[in-house]
Amino acid sequence: MDIMTGAGLAGGLAVIVAMVLMGGDLHMFISEHAMIIIFGGSAAATMIRFPLSVLMHGLPLGMKFAFTMSRLSAHDLVDELARIAEIARKQGPVGLEKVETDEPFLAKGIRYVADGYDLDFIRDNLERDRDNFLLHLNEGSKIYRAVGDCAPAFGMIGTLIGMVQMFSNMSDPSKLGPFMATALLATLYGALVANLICLPIADKLHTKLIDEETNRTLIIDGILMIRDSKSPTLVREMLLAYLPEKHRHAEGEPVPA
């Protein structure tokens, strides 16, 4: 669980609610008309921008990865692959059949090696799997960014509609307040949806896409070296190149000058 996403959303909402309650009643800030223009308009614009297949893949995958962390860090993957290389060296590919891991992509690679598939087959299938996954995750990031881009614009549209309605009813003072409230709340909702939810999620998905690309490429290289019967020490040293210099050594282990 990525607690930072949940904590950020909860903290942002708490700040907004606190400011609202300090200055009045929460019901003052609820407008069905503003919700319709923001959520309905943003949904419609997003449907125009993306085909249905992209929405079906990108939205749920994006939401899932915005609130979850990778099961293993890059450093953990290096240790895990070195351990697997040691097993393969001592017991051969058959020994990998009993190896268990929490990382599904790594488990797939281990299964390919244990089943005796050739190097090109393993490389092609794992790279295709990685590229498809990264494509869908990138689609998720683009969808949330698109919603974040158009929500403030529809907030402005709602504001303009509310102002037109207000100026069209200047003869009836009782209607001016509700129309002005709708106009202002549409802008408020658009800003909140964009800056508290959609754009931050899009940025987080982009960061996780980079991390997943690194981790999955690391796994592919490690699996290929294990299939090629490389020594565990060589596997570890080759894969440590994926990590930043300061993360290449365990805590307490001296870092070479």
Side-chain angles (χ1 to χ4, degrees), residues 187-236:
T187 299
L188 175 62
Y189 289 174
L192 285 177
V193 169
N195 296 290
L196 182 59
I197 302 175
C198 293
L199 293 180
I201 287 179
D203 288 338
K204 173 152 283 190
L205 290 177
H206 179 71
T207 300
K208 291 192 174 182
L209 185 149
I210 296 174
D211 291 340
E212 285 292 331
E213 182 176 17
T214 299
N215 289 353
R216 293 188 179 226
T217 303
L218 185 155
I219 289 173
I220 292 173
D221 286 353
I223 289 296
L224 293 178
M225 284 189 284
I226 293 171
R227 175 63 180 81
D228 208 22
S229 302
K230 301 295 185 183
S231 71
T233 302
L234 179 60
V235 171
R236 177 183 295 276

Side-chain angles (χ1 to χ4, degrees), residues 11-13 35 87 90 121 142 192 198 208 217 229 248:
L13 290 173
M35 290 182 183
I87 295 173
K90 290 181 178 179
F121 175 88
K142 289 181 177 179
L192 285 177
C198 293
K208 291 192 174 182
T217 303
S229 302
R248 293 180 185 179

